[in-house]
Amino acid sequence: MAISMKHEIRERMPECVLDDPVGDVEASLDLDGIPDDVREYARTRLGETDETKSLMVDELRELIYQRGDFEPLSMDDDYLLRFLRARNFKLEPAYKLLENYVHFRERNINYYEGVSPTDLSHIGDADILNVYPYREQTGRRIITLKLGKWDPNTTPVDELFTATLAVLEAGIMEPRAQILGGVCIIDLEGLSMTHAWHITPSTVSKVIEIMVTSFPYKISAIHILHESWIFEKIFTMFKPLLPARYKENCYFHGDDLSSLHKHIESKYLPSVYGGTRPEYSYEQWFISLTRDPKVVKQMQLLGYATSGPYDPNEKKTAALAEGTSN
């Protein structure tokens, strides 16, 4: 294959390892606290201390006022802090990231305004996009994208962007996610030319904006499974646009799950990836979003039409009623 397979693990920097016993599953967001080991990780890897946070948030806020290039959704400390963490407390890069984020929202407001995340549950039902209600061994969330299960004829690519952004916007509310970043598994089993035809240069541009330039979420590793020559064709559009750090953190495993387990221990993976965890429905995340008033409030600030609590039985009842009427 033309793509270089990275089956060996490079010498790794010390990671933040959390106690996450198997069976400790909770589909909710931790908005209140930062574990001590994550706090130490932030200090050593990001240069984050109480003094640094206070100083840099004030400097970023002052820079926004001085330049007047854009108007953020919020000037609160916690909101600005996520952009500083995403750029390791470097002022100018954090400012640029926030500016890019504001402009991305303006250009793609249809991904936010009036969108109810619970209305996107069909994407989870199709097992295209998922977030596991547990973390891997370094304390990071795992997001999976199974492109081969995506039917472009019934789910437009813009719906995938909308759902992905809703997941990321919710996830980035967690302080530890802002510090540690997340892990992404892209499963390409079943990928066909039909999928390739729907991945246009415009689609590639938006993916790069979300991954690299315009969203305050750090992806610590991208794991590609079941890639084929079709993916190679698609990847040629992305590769020139990816910074070196993303290329270095992108791992290609083919059909070799043992290669994946060198990076994510099997006990933190579901059985479909050779792990010991059961499958969990993406719908649990929707339930969590609407049952936490703090999450609902922040999602509403972003423009989402989020209300709650969400009752999944309502969807089932409506589906049964529709089937009966037909």
Side-chain angles (χ1 to χ4, degrees), residues 191-206:
L191 191 73
S192 69
M193 284 303 299
T194 299
H195 298 105
W197 291 332
H198 285 82
I199 300 177
T200 65
S202 174
T203 301
V204 171
S205 176
K206 286 182 180 177

Side-chain angles (χ1 to χ4, degrees), residues 124-156:
D125 294 341
D127 199 23
I128 303 169
L129 180 67
N130 206 349
V131 181
Y132 297 138
Y134 47 81
R135 306 170 191 275
E136 44 88 272
Q137 70 273 4
T138 66
R140 294 179 171 94
R141 296 277 186 195
I142 304 173
I143 300 173
T144 61
L145 183 62
K146 299 177 182 177
L147 283 179
K149 294 192 174 184
W150 166 44
D151 183 354
N153 295 317
T154 59
T155 304

Side-chain angles (χ1 to χ4, degrees), residues 9-60:
I9 302 178
R10 303 184 315 276
E11 182 176 352
R12 299 181 62 174
M13 295 291 289
E15 287 290 1
C16 170
V17 180
L18 300 179
D19 180 23
D20 181 20
V22 172
D24 183 15
V25 172
E26 186 176 2
S28 62
L29 298 175
D30 180 9
L31 304 183
D32 297 323
I34 302 176
D36 290 341
D37 37 12
V38 176
R39 197 180 302 277
E40 178 63 15
Y41 180 94
R43 186 188 68 81
T44 58
R45 297 292 291 272
L46 278 63
E48 176 177 332
T49 63
D50 289 340
E51 294 77 12
T52 301
K53 285 192 295 184
S54 178
L55 175 65
M56 296 302 295
V57 166
D58 286 344
E59 288 192 10
L60 178 56

Side-chain angles (χ1 to χ4, degrees), residues 61-116:
R61 186 184 292 111
E62 182 62 26
L63 194 60
I64 294 168
Y65 282 133
Q66 284 180 357
R67 295 184 180 177
D69 296 328
F70 55 87
E71 184 176 347
L73 290 174
S74 173
M75 294 287 268
D76 290 348
D77 288 7
D78 288 344
Y79 184 78
L80 297 179
L81 185 56
R82 67 184 62 178
F83 294 92
L84 287 163
R85 283 171 168 159
R87 290 298 182 262
N88 296 345
F89 287 88
K90 296 176 182 177
L91 184 60
E92 284 293 341
Y95 178 88
K96 184 62 177 177
L97 175 62
L98 177 53
E99 181 179 28
N100 289 344
Y101 173 81
V102 170
H103 293 326
F104 176 85
R105 274 184 53 89
E106 291 172 350
R107 292 192 306 271
N108 300 283
I109 197 63
N110 57 301
Y111 295 155
Y112 292 90
E113 292 293 342
V115 171
S116 174

